Amino acid sequence: LHKHCASLRALQTSKYYGQALLTEVYKHLNLIESDYFGIEFQNIQSYWVRIISQQIHYNKKVTTMLRLAVKFFPPDPGQLQEEYTRYLFALQIKRDLAEERLTCSDNTAALLISHLLQSEIGDFDESEDREHLKGNRYLPNQERIQGKILEFHRKHVGQTPAESDFQVLEIARKLEMYGIRFHLASDREGTKINLAVSHMGVLVFQGNTKINTFNWSKVRKLSFKRKRFLIKLHPEVCGPYQDTLEFLLGSRDECKNFWKICVEYHTFFRLFDQPKPKAKAVFFSRGSSFRYSGRTQKQLVDYIKDSGMKKTPYERRHSKVRVSAHASNTDVPKQSAAFPEGLRTPGSPASATVPFHSVHSSAAPTTLPIFAESSPSSLDPRAPYTRIPDKNTPMPAEETGRKLVQQPGSPIFQSFQGSPLGLNAAFPVNLNAAGQGSSPLLSPVLSDAGGARIEEDDEMKRKVRPWHSYFIAKEILATERTYLKDLEVITVWFRSAVIKENAMPEGLMTLLFSNIDPIYEFHRGFLKEIEQRLSLWEGKTNAHVKGDYQRIGDVMLRNMRTLKEFTSYLQKHDEVLTELEKATKRLKKLEMVYKEFELQKVCYLPLNTFLLKPIQRLMHYKLILGRLCKHYTAEHRDFADCRNALKEVTEMTSQLQHSLIRLENFQKLTELQHDLIGIDNLTAPGREFIREGCLYKLTKKGLQQRMFFLFSDMLLYTSKGVTGTNQFKIHGHLPLHGMLVEESENEWAVPHCFTIYSAQKTIVVAASTRLEMGKWMEDLNMAIEMADAPGSFKCRSSDEVSLEQESEDDIHSSRSSLDRQSHHRANTTMHVCWYRNTSVSMADHSVAVENQLSGYLLRKFKNSNGWQKLWVVFTNFCLFFYKTHQDDYPLASLPLLGYVVSSPVEADGIQKDYVFKLQFKSHVYFFRAESKYTFERWMEVIKRATSSPARSSLLLPKDEKDRHTD
């Protein structure tokens, strides 16, 4: 500490950049995730400005106040790996509330303050709460909401400081003003606006209302010229805007400062690696050479996860020792914890309650006021940090309200005299996030920094919380978030596309959106209610005593009853799908908009798939509620509500079951219609899709790969186009009426081979495995039997297509027609079946609909060291990866057909719990869940959705059947 203090004195008397001061502060605090923080100072206009480069000029008469502050605000507090970092972020939120930077409603402000109270003084006690609020200002005029604060605080009994900090961040991150720092500007018309920057991009505010967001993906270049700040957009996203947007700031320095902040934010959140410094010009240079010099967020996360640094055990506890807010400085204990909560400066009223370092930088070398004197009100001992030091680390004497825990075998802690600046010796900070009683919301496994910070033994946890029902409720929340995003693909994104091009008739617009908009609005409210319930559930650790909110049945029952009112809307989805398909065939403009929209990243599935989501979601509710009812005993207070909610949703699903089967079949036929060339009426009434997949057809040239499609009336076989359109050209079709299928492996000496005899021709095909052959033969025989039945659907003459010509000329001749078609996505099941050499049936699709899941997982590649946290959505046989659940479109996808899911073996070298392995040939991925329940759910849904053994086992030898089952 003496060395650090000497360094700080030297900094004050020399010309140093702010980074040098920051470095010393980080050393003093032992702050690992230091890149999130910076120093800000108060300028002449009394605005707090972040230091970038050298901005504070020498002036003997002016004393400048410096303070540590959060520099980068991540969108998800789960991205902060350390509990200590989250604590500092919570203090920043506390400061922003006090300074009215974080504006919000009274209810939200009261909820935030209640969590801060829980963090600082512990469980609710009305007299203590009132006394504390009287002496501490969390918000100007907080008296008007004091009743709400006390009401909310009463509900947090048992919540640990770490949980409270996380709750503060979870609430704050959803506010529009979270992390926003205004820069006064005006637009080209002279209108006064505020510019700000966030992880998303550059934001424009009018007052406190956000009026525009320029995402980083839309921005081509940021620059400044004197006082003008310029944003150059990519041409394809300019829309109604001009190519370059211009804003006028107060001065060149302000403009350049804001530009630098934008550069830093873009580098920190968007780039994997920090850019290399720009080489200085020999004679003259154009433009600024400024570059962000720290680590990017990805580098920071990877460093903490992969460094394997040994961390000092770290624990935080409440204390009931009170220090009066009006006590003199001599009554306040000297600061020995690693991060002083706020140091008051004379003449700065706001700083009295600011919970961060505040430091003076004076030009006069004689005063050396590097750190201001401690403020009693901000050094509240009720939220202490207890540290267990390394063996040889000196410790300060036990201070009032701050208990020093001595582990068995550790040395007796020796007292240490304070430094001349009034700060005691620093000692290593343990930044481990696994504090006692940590909330499951913290997802410790997902913020792991190298240790195995997984949930404690399930049986021990069950004594405190009903974990099984909690994780089921959490699954409802996660899948509801995904479902609402899926609805937005239609209600927000597709609507915008058709309105922009005026491509959809008014009647169809009314039919489509009048049916889906009310459902979307209902689920928005439903999601908020689930989020609120989970927030309260996670905030209590004494559920066995007062478990008012540790249940989900009442929320589900109330909303399932409301959802019944929308049954009439859901019943119209059949008409909506049909009319939309007719309109796209009739109107070329709508067809063009439809196809172009499907190519957008936000439309990560075939468009009409999203129209099935509302009915499919009912099936999910039914399955989830069924699991809850099985989990609870009949005496459990949540059981009756869950059972009644299950009854309500079962009534709805029984009414819509036949409609869903019909809709799923129609959706699949229309999807195939878009992907197949050579047939115009695939969606003919009465036709049913049965199976699609890859088989090898025996030709004069040998076995040739072909894609087969089995319907209730015919079998199509196709080849993949040689252009980049990803479509398949039909080579032939065989009517099922009178067809015969026979195994012929011995006759042709080809493994897994069978012969298809039809009235038109006979073909010989081979499957990739005996299991695949069994699936095809079983489905073909079933379809033939149905096709031969009286009154069955027959092929119409309009469906006739030419038979296959086995020449390359035929394939190449299709190029002109292929090129006229739109490029289609490559992760639909037909394309995955083609590359993975497998097949999928309609029955498999139905099972996959039931087995959908969302949530945060850690992903690791076979040869990589670090784990990456991702929001993962499993649907349509595919994993879709997002950075957070708030993202509008996935970063990448992994189709799972052909993959095998299992637990890692010893040779994989995975030393973590709750890890499952996905493998296809040499492609291997590892995924890590947060709990045993979540791990089992992911394994369950992936296995069910991606493994489809033949319904009949007669075709399989016992040893091979066992092998596939394993």
Side-chain angles (χ1 to χ4, degrees):
L1 176 68
H2 290 295
K3 179 182 71 176
H4 291 166
C5 293
S7 300
L8 293 177
R9 291 192 198 94
L11 290 177
Q12 192 180 26
T13 57
S14 305
K15 291 185 177 180
Y16 277 87
Y17 289 101
Q19 185 61 47
L21 173 61
L22 260 182
T23 301
E24 294 302 320
V25 171
Y26 295 154
K27 287 179 182 178
H28 172 67
L29 302 179
N30 197 7
L31 183 57
I32 303 302
E33 293 180 285
S34 56
D35 300 77
Y36 286 108
F37 300 91
I39 287 179
E40 60 184 13
F41 72 97
Q42 209 164 20
N43 63 10
I44 298 173
Q45 293 83 15
S46 294
Y47 292 117
W48 284 100
V49 180
R50 208 165 68 212
I51 291 181
I52 297 180
S53 186
Q54 192 169 4
Q55 295 174 335
I56 303 177
H57 301 290
Y58 182 85
N59 190 331
K60 289 184 177 181
K61 298 180 180 179
V62 177
T63 298
T64 304
M65 189 171 94
L66 307 178
R67 68 184 187 185
L68 195 66
V70 171
K71 181 177 181 181
F72 298 116
F73 289 82
D76 182 359
Q79 294 173 336
L80 304 175
Q81 307 295 306
E82 307 293 339
E83 179 188 324
Y84 185 47
T85 310
R86 290 192 288 269
Y87 165 63
L88 302 184
F89 266 75
L91 295 182
Q92 179 69 65
I93 299 303
K94 176 182 175 183
R95 172 193 285 171
D96 287 353
L97 272 176
E99 296 181 353
E100 297 186 281
R101 276 179 165 182
L102 187 65
T103 56
C104 55
S105 66
D106 286 351
N107 272 338
T108 304
L111 185 58
L112 281 169
I113 295 171
S114 69
H115 283 297
L116 290 169
L117 275 178
Q118 180 71 19
S119 173
E120 293 180 6
I121 68 174
D123 289 344
F124 174 79
D125 182 291
E126 186 167 354
S127 61
E128 288 188 0
D129 277 24
R130 290 185 182 278
E131 181 187 347
H132 183 82
L133 289 172
K134 186 177 180 180
N136 293 270
R137 310 301 297 175
Y138 291 89
L139 193 71
N141 302 319
Q142 68 186 23
E143 292 80 7
R144 59 190 174 84
I145 60 169
Q146 184 165 303
K148 291 181 180 179
I149 296 171
L150 299 179
E151 181 183 346
F152 282 128
H153 189 200
R154 184 181 284 109
K155 298 175 182 179
H156 304 331
V157 174
Q159 189 169 280
T160 67
E163 291 174 318
S164 301
D165 292 342
F166 198 92
Q167 293 291 347
V168 168
L169 300 183
E170 270 290 297
I171 297 165
R173 73 174 177 84
K174 299 174 185 177
L175 299 176
E176 192 163 71
M177 298 300 292
Y178 167 69
I180 297 301
R181 300 294 182 259
F182 281 156
H183 297 259
L184 303 180
S186 57
D187 59 18
R188 285 189 173 184
E189 287 73 36
T191 305
K192 296 296 181 184
I193 57 166
N194 293 310
L195 295 178
V197 63
S198 74
H199 69 281
M200 294 186 298
V202 181
L203 315 176
V204 184
F205 287 79
Q206 203 158 30
N208 286 339
T209 304
K210 185 167 65 177
I211 60 174
N212 215 334
T213 301
F214 299 105
N215 289 328
W216 297 125
S217 59
K218 298 178 182 178
V219 176
R220 183 179 175 186
K221 182 180 180 182
L222 292 176
S223 60
F224 69 97
K225 190 173 183 180
R226 296 184 179 88
K227 297 194 296 184
R228 291 184 296 146
F229 181 74
L230 308 172
I231 303 176
K232 189 163 187 157
L233 302 173
H234 287 290
E236 61 270 19
V237 297
C238 290
Y241 304 105
Q242 59 272 33
D243 178 56
T244 302
L245 302 172
E246 184 178 308
F247 301 95
L248 193 68
L249 278 83
S251 67
R252 179 189 179 278
D253 287 346
E254 290 178 30
C255 191
K256 185 176 182 180
N257 183 55
F258 180 62
W259 173 79
K260 287 181 174 181
I261 293 172
C262 292
V263 170
E264 290 192 322
Y265 255 85
H266 177 267
T267 306
F268 184 77
F269 285 108
R270 294 281 290 182
L271 301 188
F272 286 165
D273 300 305
Q274 64 198 73
K276 295 180 180 178
K278 187 176 180 181
K280 292 186 177 181
V282 178
F283 297 107
F284 61 89
S285 63
R286 292 185 61 190
S288 173
S289 61
F290 175 78
R291 295 291 187 274
Y292 172 63
S293 58
R295 292 173 291 195
T296 65
Q297 188 183 37
K298 183 181 185 302
Q299 287 177 319
L300 178 58
V301 171
D302 290 346
Y303 166 74
I304 294 174
K305 289 178 179 177
D306 301 338
S307 61
M309 63 181 67
K310 184 180 179 182
K311 297 181 181 179
T312 313
Y314 173 69
E315 182 183 352
R316 185 180 174 200
R317 294 178 182 174
H318 293 303
S319 171
K320 286 297 180 184
V321 180
R322 180 175 299 279
V323 175
S324 170
H326 305 288
S328 66
N329 287 340
T330 56
D331 297 329
V332 181
K334 294 187 182 295
Q335 183 72 11
S336 61
F339 202 83
E341 283 190 30
L343 299 166
R344 186 180 55 186
T345 304
S348 177
S351 67
T353 55
V354 171
F356 268 133
H357 263 308
S358 293
V359 297
H360 282 277
S361 175
S362 174
T366 55
T367 55
L368 295 175
I370 298 295
F371 292 96
E373 58 186 72
S374 298
S375 164
S377 60
S378 61
L379 283 175
D380 193 313
R382 287 179 165 262
Y385 276 86
T386 306
R387 312 179 194 288
I388 304 167
D390 287 333
K391 181 179 289 187
N392 299 319
T393 304
M395 281 285 291
E398 179 173 342
E399 44 180 71
T400 307
R402 299 180 187 271
K403 298 180 180 179
L404 303 177
V405 180
Q406 183 173 343
Q407 295 293 329
S410 63
I412 299 175
F413 299 143
Q414 302 296 325
S415 61
F416 191 86
Q417 293 299 322
S419 72
L421 297 178
L423 290 171
N424 283 351
F427 41 92
V429 182
N430 173 1
L431 303 174
N432 194 315
Q436 288 188 353
S438 59
S439 166
L441 181 66
L442 296 180
S443 301
V445 66
L446 298 180
S447 58
D448 186 45
R453 291 182 288 178
I454 314 297
E455 301 289 347
E456 295 176 14
D457 182 78
D458 285 348
E459 294 304 317
M460 294 298 293
K461 288 287 187 181
R462 283 174 184 272
K463 295 178 182 178
V464 182
R465 284 180 173 173
W467 286 110
H468 199 84
S469 55
Y470 162 74
F471 283 115
I472 294 176
K474 197 171 181 182
E475 181 182 331
I476 295 174
L477 172 62
T479 51
E480 191 71 16
R481 282 171 170 166
T482 297
Y483 171 55
L484 200 66
K485 283 289 184 183
D486 287 343
L487 290 182
E488 286 178 0
V489 173
I490 300 292
T491 60
V492 177
W493 299 94
F494 185 58
R495 187 207 305 266
S496 175
V498 294
I499 290 176
K500 181 181 178 182
E501 299 296 333
N502 193 23
M504 186 177 287
E506 188 176 341
L508 182 58
M509 284 278 290
T510 303
L511 176 65
L512 172 58
F513 295 111
S514 65
N515 275 284
I516 200 166
D517 282 347
I519 296 171
Y520 171 65
E521 289 302 322
F522 163 76
H523 283 281
R524 285 183 65 188
F526 184 26
L527 176 60
K528 289 179 181 177
E529 199 168 341
I530 299 173
E531 287 177 332
Q532 184 179 14
R533 174 54 56 88
L534 263 293
S535 177
L536 292 168
W537 191 329
E538 291 156 341
K540 290 176 176 285
T541 55
N542 59 341
H544 59 293
V545 179
K546 297 179 181 178
D548 298 340
Y549 295 103
Q550 303 234 345
R551 54 188 174 131
I552 197 67
D554 57 328
V555 175
M556 296 300 292
L557 176 59
R558 183 165 56 253
N559 284 279
M560 291 307 102
R561 285 173 173 168
T562 306
L563 194 55
K564 284 183 75 174
E565 301 171 10
F566 296 96
T567 306
S568 59
Y569 293 100
L570 297 171
Q571 289 170 335
K572 288 186 179 180
H573 279 219
D574 197 341
E575 181 185 355
V576 171
L577 264 177
T578 306
E579 291 302 318
L580 182 59
E581 180 64 18
K582 287 180 181 177
T584 53
K585 286 182 178 179
R586 187 177 72 252
L587 304 170
K588 294 298 180 185
K589 191 174 184 180
L590 178 60
E591 182 185 21
M592 180 188 71
V593 171
Y594 189 106
K595 289 180 177 179
E596 287 180 352
F597 182 76
E598 280 202 321
L599 296 178
Q600 294 185 21
K601 290 180 180 180
V602 73
C603 188
Y604 67 101
L605 300 171
L607 178 58
N608 53 17
T609 303
F610 294 101
L611 290 170
L612 303 183
K613 293 291 183 179
I615 302 180
Q616 292 173 348
R617 187 60 178 152
L618 292 179
M619 306 298 173
H620 300 160
Y621 292 144
K622 180 180 176 182
L623 293 169
I624 292 172
L625 285 165
R627 286 206 307 278
L628 270 171
C629 289
K630 288 180 182 178
H631 167 65
Y632 287 133
T633 61
E635 295 76 26
H636 196 281
R637 58 194 176 81
D638 205 28
F639 175 76
D641 285 340
C642 288
R643 182 183 55 188
N644 291 331
L646 178 60
K647 182 179 178 182
E648 297 286 349
V649 77
T650 301
E651 288 180 14
M652 287 187 279
T653 54
S654 61
Q655 293 178 38
L656 297 165
Q657 182 69 42
H658 293 295
S659 178
L660 178 60
I661 294 171
R662 188 171 60 255
L663 285 170
E664 287 178 341
N665 181 68
F666 183 75
Q667 182 276 325
K668 186 61 185 176
L669 292 176
T670 54
E671 178 190 320
L672 294 177
Q673 181 77 72
H674 296 163
D675 259 6
L676 297 178
I677 297 173
I679 188 167
D680 295 326
N681 193 26
L682 195 60
T683 56
R687 177 172 288 143
E688 294 178 13
F689 167 77
I690 298 175
R691 179 175 289 277
E692 63 183 332
C694 180
L695 293 171
Y696 288 87
K697 182 177 179 293
L698 192 60
T699 71
K700 292 178 180 179
K701 295 183 178 182
L703 291 173
Q704 299 283 319
Q705 186 179 4
R706 296 288 180 263
M707 191 71 185
F708 280 74
F709 300 90
L710 176 61
F711 302 95
S712 56
D713 62 316
M714 65 177 175
L715 177 69
L716 297 179
Y717 53 97
T718 69
S719 65
K720 198 171 188 302
V722 293
T723 66
T725 59
N726 277 325
Q727 291 176 300
F728 289 82
K729 182 180 183 297
I730 295 175
H731 280 264
H733 93 299
L734 303 174
L736 294 188
H737 186 65
M739 183 181 284
L740 181 65
V741 179
E742 231 176 49
E743 185 178 351
S744 53
E745 185 172 331
N746 296 332
E747 181 181 351
W748 294 96
V750 176
H752 322 309
C753 173
F754 59 100
T755 304
I756 301 173
Y757 302 92
S758 76
Q760 291 180 332
K761 67 182 302 186
T762 298
I763 62 172
V764 179
V765 294
S768 57
T769 63
R770 186 166 180 80
L771 178 64
E772 277 294 303
M773 184 187 76
K775 295 176 187 177
W776 275 107
M777 290 186 66
E778 184 176 20
D779 280 350
L780 276 165
N781 285 320
M782 177 196 68
I784 291 167
E785 186 178 341
M786 292 173 59
D788 288 337
S792 61
F793 175 69
K794 310 297 181 188
C795 270
R796 301 186 180 185
S797 58
S798 60
D799 294 331
E800 295 295 327
V801 295
S802 61
L803 295 182
E804 178 180 21
Q805 302 295 320
E806 296 293 348
S807 70
E808 292 299 320
D809 292 339
D810 179 77
I811 298 177
H812 287 291
S813 67
S814 67
R815 286 192 179 189
S816 59
S817 60
L818 283 171
D819 290 334
R820 289 195 296 267
Q821 301 291 332
S822 292
H823 178 83
H824 201 58
R825 66 183 65 254
N827 61 5
T828 52
T829 51
M830 72 160 65
H831 298 97
V832 178
C833 288
W834 174 265
Y835 289 110
R836 302 277 168 82
N837 208 358
T838 186
S839 67
V840 172
S841 70
M842 194 65 208
D844 297 330
H845 280 281
S846 298
V847 172
V849 165
E850 295 177 356
N851 290 281
Q852 300 187 22
L853 199 58
S854 306
Y856 282 106
L857 291 174
L858 291 177
R859 183 184 67 182
K860 180 182 178 297
F861 300 111
K862 179 172 62 174
N863 298 319
S864 66
N865 295 321
W867 294 85
Q868 181 185 13
K869 181 185 176 185
L870 295 167
W871 175 258
V872 183
V873 174
F874 178 57
T875 184
N876 288 46
F877 308 98
C878 192
L879 291 178
F880 295 92
F881 304 108
Y882 303 75
K883 195 169 184 182
T884 73
H885 71 266
Q886 298 169 309
D887 293 355
D888 292 322
Y889 55 82
L891 302 170
S893 63
L894 177 65
L896 292 188
L897 290 175
Y899 270 80
V900 175
V901 60
S902 63
S903 295
V905 296
E906 187 176 348
D908 293 320
I910 302 296
Q911 305 299 323
K912 308 291 184 182
D913 294 328
Y914 313 137
V915 176
F916 60 92
K917 175 183 177 181
L918 289 173
Q919 182 167 7
F920 173 71
K921 296 183 179 178
S922 62
H923 303 282
V924 179
Y925 301 90
F926 299 99
F927 293 90
R928 190 169 158 210
E930 65 174 330
S931 66
K932 182 180 179 182
Y933 172 85
T934 315
F935 161 76
E936 290 173 348
R937 278 293 292 148
W938 278 102
M939 290 277 284
E940 177 187 14
V941 297
I942 293 175
K943 277 184 178 178
R944 286 183 177 177
T946 56
S947 60
S948 55
R951 284 179 287 277
S952 171
S953 60
L954 299 177
L955 295 167
L956 294 175
K958 185 178 186 306
D959 57 343
E960 187 163 350
K961 180 173 67 177
D962 293 340
R963 185 163 66 251
H964 284 291
T965 303
D966 295 339

